[in-house]
Amino acid sequence: MAQTQNSAELLDRMVAGRQLSAVDAADLARQSSVSLQTEEDILRWLAGEYDVSFTALDDIEPDRQLLSFFPARILLKEELLPLRRANGVVEIATSRLFATQGLDALKTLTGLNLKPVLAPSEILQRELKKRLGVGADTMGELAEDTALQVVDDARDDDNDLDGAAEDASIIRFVNQVLRDAIELRASDIHLEPFEHEFQIRYRVDGVLQAIPVPAQIKRFQPAIVSRLKILSHLNIAEKRLPQDGRIKIRLDANEVDIRVSVIPMLHGEAVVLRLLRQNSTLLGMGEMGMDARELKSFRRVLGLPHGIILVTGPTGSGKTTTLYTALNEINDQVRKIITIEDPIEYQLKGINQIQVSEKAGLTFARGLRSILRHDPDVILVGEIRDRETAQIAVQASLTGHLVFSTLHTNDAPGAVTRLIDMGVEPYLVASSLEAVLAQRLVRVLCKHCKQPDTSPTTAAIKAQIGIPTDTTVFRGVGCRECRNTGYHGRRAIFEWMDIDNELRQLVLKNVSSGEIAALAKRNGLRVLSEDGWRLVREGITTPEEVMRVTKDQSVSNIAPEAVPKPTVEVQSPRKSNAVV
């Protein structure tokens, strides 16, 4: 057959990994009847040629008791998964038919009769991590290392703890956790100590997912936390106070900036790592997913000579990304743009960016005062956190600067009352504020497994929110591509509020956010949930997801049945080299 370059690369890779012999590779390349699209196609062919079984592991539940008979280190290194035992023979899933050293080692150690069963390597890796836990191989090495003494939290022997944190197995375990989180597109890693376990969770697409880890990891909790402290240049001897630091790593030529927060808990120190990808590509304004009317309003305010534009929402809702996209839109040679941020999440060419440093005394307020002496046209303040920063931002807008910033409020109207609560006079808010954009992130349906949703609950929701009955609503059933979540990636929903003259009059009267919201809705404000229902109608997300992030009251009587607890299955990606 006419062999494609991808097929040739697949054959070469399988020969190099001893999944395929050179003779078989040449035979496959000559045969026109055999498809070379995937590794699974070739493994199925091998199974027929060599009279062995093949499994995709979809319907097989490996025997957990059987797993305990075999060393995790060998199983993970050689990619071998014990499946079941019958008639004195143990079936072992493998993708390497011609690499027998792993099976030979297991036979020698256990004395059991082993039979290979072919399975795709990617699925094997996923199942091994799921059954044995991330870092099971390194934890096994640590358990066997009698020379390593992990220091108890109650002791004050920092030299021993420092040595444990520098142990090669601890280093490999921490690197593996970081690598897996990055390749799973996680935004945060949570390491949480409890009385009898040390739990690790990743936040993927805004939802926390527990990852399987070896049971013995609890013994090495202090050493793992100390390793992260060493990487973050924190004090490993301090266990009573919160500490903040940062790590920069490189993975496949991509830099990732990691913000580290350590807080003492009841059963040890908890660590949260925020992953910031430095080389992420910004979308254009037209690719943000805004409705045409909102996009037109946004572009209009970008052309204003002065004023304040606020983006609001909870942590992790994409506020900074939206502001960076806006700055990219107006970044040219005739404007000077300066930002002050904590942290700097994207590095933008042609824009002057300042990193806040509380330890050095460079706060938002102090930096903002200095920025004004650098003759900027546009200023981005990472977040308005206090009265002083808010007042300086308002003064900057009143003296001819276009100011962008973020604020933590639940909706767009709430931004007005929040500024006033901070101590900014209502007349200053009314004269400086030009627009407020509230946003959230909803998960996008997996394109590989989404199906029409004809359930009675979804039909009731459609009727209640006014979606035509003939509109098809989809749901994700879960597959390998989305790790059985039904979702892959996220998309923003928006709530845009222009500050017109009517609203300015209400602001001057210092009314509640409810009254501001009522007037804005009469003037055409579309709330977050309404924008979410637009994505539901377009088949991009689900009603459950919109209700999860917006708490829409219009379907509150249906929500308990419509929002099931997410069931997720974390798959660990292929290994790659991360340099810490």
Side-chain angles (χ1 to χ4, degrees):
M1 75 181 182
Q3 186 175 358
T4 65
Q5 183 179 358
N6 288 340
S7 299
E9 290 174 355
L10 175 59
L11 289 174
D12 290 343
R13 187 168 66 249
M14 293 184 72
V15 170
R18 301 193 68 184
Q19 295 169 274
L20 185 65
S21 72
V23 174
D24 286 330
D27 193 22
L28 278 168
R30 287 193 300 268
Q31 294 187 55
S32 59
S33 60
V34 179
S35 170
L36 300 181
Q37 297 300 314
T38 66
E39 176 195 23
E40 183 172 324
D41 295 331
I42 296 175
L43 291 178
R44 287 183 182 276
W45 181 84
L46 283 174
E49 287 289 308
Y50 288 89
D51 193 26
V52 296
S53 301
F54 174 87
T55 178
L57 294 174
D58 290 333
D59 302 319
I60 295 179
E61 184 69 22
D63 187 338
R64 291 184 179 274
Q65 185 177 2
L66 186 61
L67 279 173
S68 64
F69 295 154
F70 301 94
R73 177 169 50 84
I74 296 178
L75 295 180
L76 286 166
K77 180 181 178 182
E78 303 296 339
E79 291 185 12
L80 299 170
L81 178 63
L83 298 178
R84 55 198 164 203
R85 185 174 185 175
N87 301 322
V89 177
V90 178
E91 292 184 349
I92 305 284
T94 178
S95 64
R96 303 169 182 174
L97 182 60
F98 301 96
T100 60
Q101 66 274 12
L103 284 171
D104 292 340
L106 292 182
K107 285 180 182 178
T108 302
L109 287 170
T110 64
L112 296 172
N113 186 13
L114 307 182
K115 176 184 177 182
V117 176
L118 288 178
S121 59
E122 185 175 357
I123 303 174
L124 265 177
Q125 291 173 15
R126 180 196 72 194
E127 291 297 326
L128 282 166
K129 293 288 179 65
K130 178 181 176 183
R131 309 298 171 188
L132 300 175
V134 173
D137 50 350
T138 55
M139 287 297 105
E141 290 177 14
L142 283 168
E144 296 166 5
D145 188 354
T146 57
L148 175 62
Q149 297 295 321
V150 178
V151 178
D152 187 82
D153 285 341
R155 292 175 56 191
D156 191 20
D157 192 346
D158 298 317
N159 292 328
D160 286 350
L161 188 56
D162 194 4
E166 293 291 355
D167 183 272
S169 297
I170 289 292
I171 292 172
R172 286 199 302 273
F173 177 79
V174 170
N175 283 0
Q176 187 173 352
V177 169
L178 295 176
R179 179 175 60 241
D180 285 359
I182 291 168
E183 295 189 356
L184 285 168
R185 301 177 296 105
S187 60
D188 302 87
I189 305 172
H190 294 246
L191 296 96
E192 302 161 315
F194 298 99
E195 185 176 5
H196 301 297
E197 65 175 331
F198 188 54
Q199 179 176 262
I200 299 179
R201 295 192 287 175
Y202 298 154
R203 188 176 295 278
V204 181
D205 291 336
V207 177
L208 279 174
Q209 303 177 2
I211 66 167
V213 293
Q216 65 266 36
I217 191 177
K218 177 66 178 176
R219 293 172 50 193
F220 309 102
Q221 170 189 318
I224 293 169
V225 173
S226 293
R227 173 61 184 167
L228 290 168
K229 284 184 175 182
I230 289 170
L231 292 174
S232 311
H233 306 289
L234 300 178
N235 182 6
I236 67 168
E238 181 55 74
K239 304 180 183 69
R240 298 167 298 176
L241 296 175
Q243 296 187 72
D244 295 316
R246 61 182 293 185
I247 307 169
K248 180 167 285 189
I249 69 172
R250 187 170 60 254
L251 177 64
D252 297 333
N254 294 319
E255 288 190 351
V256 181
D257 197 16
I258 303 176
R259 299 306 164 110
V260 182
S261 176
V262 182
I263 298 180
M265 299 289 181
L266 178 62
H267 298 290
E269 292 175 288
V271 184
V272 174
L273 309 161
R274 167 62 60 89
L275 309 179
L276 305 172
R277 291 155 180 80
Q278 296 295 310
N279 298 331
S280 299
T281 303
L282 282 176
L283 299 175
M285 290 283 290
E287 300 171 293
M288 290 172 57
M290 273 189 171
D291 180 77
R293 186 185 66 175
E294 294 171 341
L295 183 59
K296 182 179 179 181
S297 298
F298 201 171
R299 283 190 162 130
R300 177 187 63 79
V301 299
L302 292 181
L304 296 175
H306 54 79
I308 297 179
I309 295 102
L310 293 177
V311 180
T312 75
T315 301
S317 59
K319 302 184 297 296
T320 304
T321 301
T322 296
L323 287 178
Y324 278 141
T325 303
L327 290 185
N328 231 19
E329 183 86 356
I330 61 175
N331 184 17
D332 55 36
Q333 293 298 316
V334 300
R335 292 184 182 92
K336 179 161 185 175
I337 304 175
I338 304 180
T339 75
I340 179 164
E341 310 164 62
D342 184 26
I344 296 175
E345 295 186 22
Y346 295 86
Q347 296 180 20
L348 302 178
K349 184 179 179 180
I351 294 179
N352 301 274
Q353 296 175 270
I354 302 170
Q355 169 69 54
V356 167
S357 176
E358 299 283 351
K359 291 182 179 178
L362 179 56
T363 62
F364 278 111
R366 185 171 181 178
L368 193 50
R369 283 194 296 268
S370 298
I371 285 173
L372 296 177
R373 293 193 286 271
H374 273 246
D375 188 30
D377 298 291
V378 180
I379 300 170
L380 168 63
V381 183
E383 182 184 346
I384 295 179
R385 298 178 178 176
D386 50 45
R387 176 181 179 181
E388 185 179 11
T389 305
Q391 289 179 331
I392 298 173
V394 168
Q395 291 299 328
S397 72
L398 294 176
T399 53
H401 303 90
L402 187 60
V403 179
F404 295 89
S405 191
T406 67
L407 205 61
H408 288 286
T409 62
N410 291 326
D411 55 17
V416 176
T417 53
R418 175 71 179 131
L419 286 175
I420 295 173
D421 289 343
M422 281 184 174
V424 182
E425 294 293 337
Y427 75 91
L428 291 175
V429 176
S431 57
S432 61
L433 191 60
E434 294 292 339
V436 182
L437 177 69
Q439 70 177 68
R440 299 287 190 280
L441 294 176
V442 295
R443 290 181 293 173
V444 173
L445 280 164
C446 173
K447 63 182 179 181
H448 297 282
C449 66
K450 76 174 186 178
Q451 296 180 359
D453 187 355
T454 57
S455 65
T457 300
T458 300
I461 293 175
K462 286 167 62 175
Q464 191 150 349
I465 64 177
I467 295 180
T469 55
D470 58 348
T471 301
T472 303
V473 173
F474 293 89
R475 65 186 179 93
V477 297
C479 64
R480 293 180 192 170
E481 298 296 328
C482 62
R483 301 176 180 88
N484 287 337
T485 63
Y487 300 94
H488 189 276
R490 289 191 289 177
R491 174 92 171 260
I493 56 175
F494 302 99
E495 177 179 298
W496 179 268
M497 185 178 76
D498 274 312
I499 307 298
D500 55 24
N501 288 332
E502 284 186 89
L503 280 176
R504 293 186 200 280
Q505 294 302 316
L506 283 186
V507 174
L508 287 171
K509 296 177 182 178
N510 195 12
V511 299
S512 68
S513 61
E515 293 179 71
I516 294 174
L519 177 59
K521 288 177 183 177
R522 289 198 297 271
N523 291 346
L525 171 72
R526 184 170 61 186
V527 298
L528 285 165
S529 59
E530 291 175 312
D531 199 36
W533 300 131
R534 173 177 66 89
L535 298 188
V536 171
R537 290 192 296 271
E538 294 175 4
I540 295 172
T541 191
T542 62
E544 293 87 356
E545 186 65 9
V546 173
M547 287 185 283
R548 182 181 70 85
V549 301
T550 65
K551 307 293 185 184
D552 187 8
Q553 297 301 311
S554 65
V555 291
S556 58
N557 58 325
I558 300 177
E561 303 96 32
V563 189
K565 292 182 179 179
T567 56
V568 297
E569 175 186 340
V570 176
Q571 301 175 10
S572 294
R574 294 181 178 273
K575 292 182 179 179
S576 58
N577 295 321
V579 181
V580 178

